[in-house]
Amino acid sequence: MAPYESDDTRGAEEVDDLHSVRRKAARYVVPVAVVGVAAATIGLVPALADSGDPDLPKITAQQLIEKIAKSDVQQLSGTAKITTDLGLPNLGGLESGLISGATKGGDGSSADPSTKLPELASGTHTLRVAADGPDRQKVSLIESAAEYSLIHNGKDVWGYDSKSNEVYHGTADQNGKKHRDEVPATPKDFADQALKSVDDTTSVTVDGTAQVAGRDAYRLVIKPKHASGTTVGVISIAVDAKTGMPLKFTLTPASGGAAVVDAGFTQVSFAKPAASTFDFTPPKGAKVTEEKDAKARGRSGERGAPHKKFAPQRGLTPQKGLAKEGTKVLGKGWNSIAVFDSGTKGGIPSSSGKGDLGGFLGSLGDHVSGKFGKGTVFSTRLINALITDDGKVYVGTVTKDALVKAANAGQ
Amino acid sequence: MSRAEAATGPAGIDVGSASPLWTLGLLRSELVTTFRRWRTLALLGVLAAVPILVGVAVRIETRDGSSVGGGGGGGPAFITQITNNGLFLVFTALAATLPFFLPMAVGVVAGDAIAGEANAGTLRYLLVAPAGRTRLLLTKYATTMAFCLVATLVVAVSALTVGALLFPLGDLTTISGTQISFAEGLGRALLIALVVAASLIGLAALGLFVSTLTNSGIAAMATTVGLLITVQILDQIPQLHAIQPYFFSHYWLSFADLMREPVYWDGLVKNLELQALYAAVFGSAAWARFTAKDITA
């Protein structure tokens, strides 16, 4: 019937029905095999690519710390991934809404670094960093089909939010350094903070080697010596064997589970980035907010407030982050607790002050009582805070019980 | 018309060994048939209208110097940059049509490819020609992919025209904040159009497979478009994040990474790999089904 039919299925049908059915079924092996090969590739390739830990000459922890301190990487470009899991209640967009809502007085620019960078405090983000000497740096936060860039070139600091096409402009002598210190983003920022907190309550060891972003690295492990009381489990820092530059930072809580902070380069190069990387001209039609305009609106005073929330995180240990006026530090090392008076009665800081927000926050905490009276504990996987009803705030990377104990003792 | 050509044209060629020239002839007749359909032309017309709509809306909104969407950053990607540079309308239009309009059009064409012929009773005549089923299937797939490319280019060209008419052109700022020349911007726009067209390959293969399952063209189109909508919805549910990287639409918006400086390749490569995987799996499944199927219509 089909004289031009090149496939033999039709003829076969009449001759041997069973044979034909088998042949037909056999064709489906092809798509199944493709799926199988793909699944195997997805499963096996990462395992094969992991070529094991590199062989590097032995080094002591002291030498490695010195290496980090001496590290003088002036030029680099790379991609870093940062995952923060503080165990905050998952409020979806509400959380960041609250943060930016508290930060900007309504008409703030979305390109202002102080509204944008706190986003890093939760979830996974991809950053691109480039640096060429002390005067030229760039950090870009990669978003879906958009990007937020913070560019420091000479005396200018530009923030560019491509999603809203808004530009923030500041000057460097006050800002360039400040912004980089405010929110740690690169593994090096985290490592510097962690090393600052090294004292006699801490054990520092070198725990073998690792491969990070295709480079050989030593693994430096920092552990609190007395594990009871603190929520910090282990801090592990991968240090590039050649340059002494920290490539990966991981903080695991004492309670176990996923890392609270995991920041590492996925790709890094120590070549000089193209000069055009740091050039920025505000695009035509973009809304430019000058730093002094922002200040004139009285926002610089407010700006301190939201950062208080993130201060413990950036300090890792409270005495670094919260050493502000009116703050006392109880205990030492990893078990230290910062105490300050929020100046409010009722237990909930009024700085959140947006009507129902106080009651809303109260519902998120656990109510505790002790010799000190009554209070509310706000827990994350790393930092716990006790706000007593008479307005005292106890904050630390310590357990809830340790906070209550400190509050009792302080009474 | 072209059906008849396809059947009579190759007279004199040996049974079972059609020449490559003949395959080209089949492809040409398929292309002509597809692009002459009113349905196809209407789809392309709708696609061309989207950039006009977006461009005019943005123009009217920003006539008094205000920023797009009140500066909130809502709407499709790149929409706030259109006022600086008309070239951005190309990217906005592609970002606006890629989630639904473009794949819907592709779903209609792909779903119709085999089932439509079966429905019209022309499939058996096509198979009487010495092409063989595999070759016919490949030709149908090539035609569908050509439609992906043409549909994307229609959106891009319409957007570029509207953008040039309504907004200034010139050097443009990438989303990383660096400047590139207009010529390089045009080059990237073309590259983005190609990537968007390639993003539809997976769906085209899926549609072709569905099309071999049924003899009703409408059923195949509805299933393909239905699958598209289902996957797009599932891709929005955060609890399913473990399987989302395997959805064909998951990396579609990664074409925007071409507008970063330097280009961020991770998502782009994943997207193209995923499309190739879908094409291989559903292409071979379509082959297995079509070459083993009883053709009754």
Side-chain angles (χ1 to χ4, degrees), chain A residues 29-247:
Chain A
V29 170
V30 179
V32 173
V34 173
V35 172
V37 169
T41 315
I42 292 165
L44 286 180
V45 165
L48 293 176
D50 186 12
S51 51
D53 296 340
D55 269 333
L56 292 170
K58 286 257 180 296
I59 189 171
T60 66
Q62 190 58 40
Q63 284 170 320
L64 191 54
I65 291 175
E66 276 167 18
K67 205 177 169 85
I68 298 174
K70 264 193 287 181
S71 161
D72 186 30
V73 175
Q74 293 284 327
Q75 295 168 337
L76 101 156
S77 57
T79 310
K81 207 160 230 168
I82 168 168
T83 304
T84 328
D85 179 9
L86 281 171
L88 294 168
N90 187 1
L91 305 174
L94 184 58
E95 187 189 336
S96 57
L98 286 180
I99 292 166
S100 54
T103 314
K104 56 175 170 187
D107 58 345
S109 165
S110 66
D112 187 335
S114 59
T115 62
K116 204 72 192 184
L117 294 183
E119 278 179 20
L120 289 177
S122 68
T124 298
H125 300 273
T126 306
L127 293 172
R128 283 180 141 183
V129 289
D132 182 8
D135 289 337
R136 307 212 282 176
Q137 293 110 23
K138 178 172 180 176
V139 181
S140 303
L141 176 59
I142 301 227
E143 299 161 354
S144 170
E147 197 165 320
Y148 175 73
S149 310
L150 193 58
I151 304 161
H152 169 208
N153 190 357
K155 60 181 182 11
D156 292 317
V157 174
W158 296 100
Y160 177 56
D161 182 20
S162 86
K163 193 182 267 171
S164 58
N165 202 29
E166 286 183 9
V167 175
Y168 174 88
H169 182 225
T171 42
D173 31 327
Q174 320 130 23
N175 265 304
K177 270 240 151 357
K178 201 176 86 195
H179 286 317
R180 285 197 54 73
D181 289 350
E182 259 174 8
V183 179
T186 62
K188 184 168 167 52
D189 296 340
F190 283 112
D192 286 349
Q193 296 289 358
L195 290 173
K196 263 189 224 162
S197 60
V198 168
D199 55 23
D200 55 348
T201 64
T202 313
S203 88
V204 183
T205 48
V206 178
D207 179 31
T209 58
Q211 273 237 317
V212 177
R215 296 185 67 89
D216 296 346
Y218 290 104
R219 199 181 293 145
L220 186 70
V221 172
I222 303 174
K223 248 192 231 176
K225 263 186 193 151
H226 312 288
S228 67
T230 177
T231 50
V232 177
V234 179
I235 295 173
S236 144
I237 302 169
V239 184
D240 186 35
K242 279 213 184 71
T243 61
M245 162 106 178
L247 295 178

Side-chain angles (χ1 to χ4, degrees), chain A residues 4 128 138 143 147 163 284, chain B residues 80 84 128 176-177 260 262:
Chain A
Y4 298 122
R128 283 180 141 183
K138 178 172 180 176
E143 299 161 354
E147 197 165 320
K163 193 182 267 171
K284 268 179 285 173
Chain B
T80 50
N84 329 331
V128 164
S176 302
R260 302 185 200 279

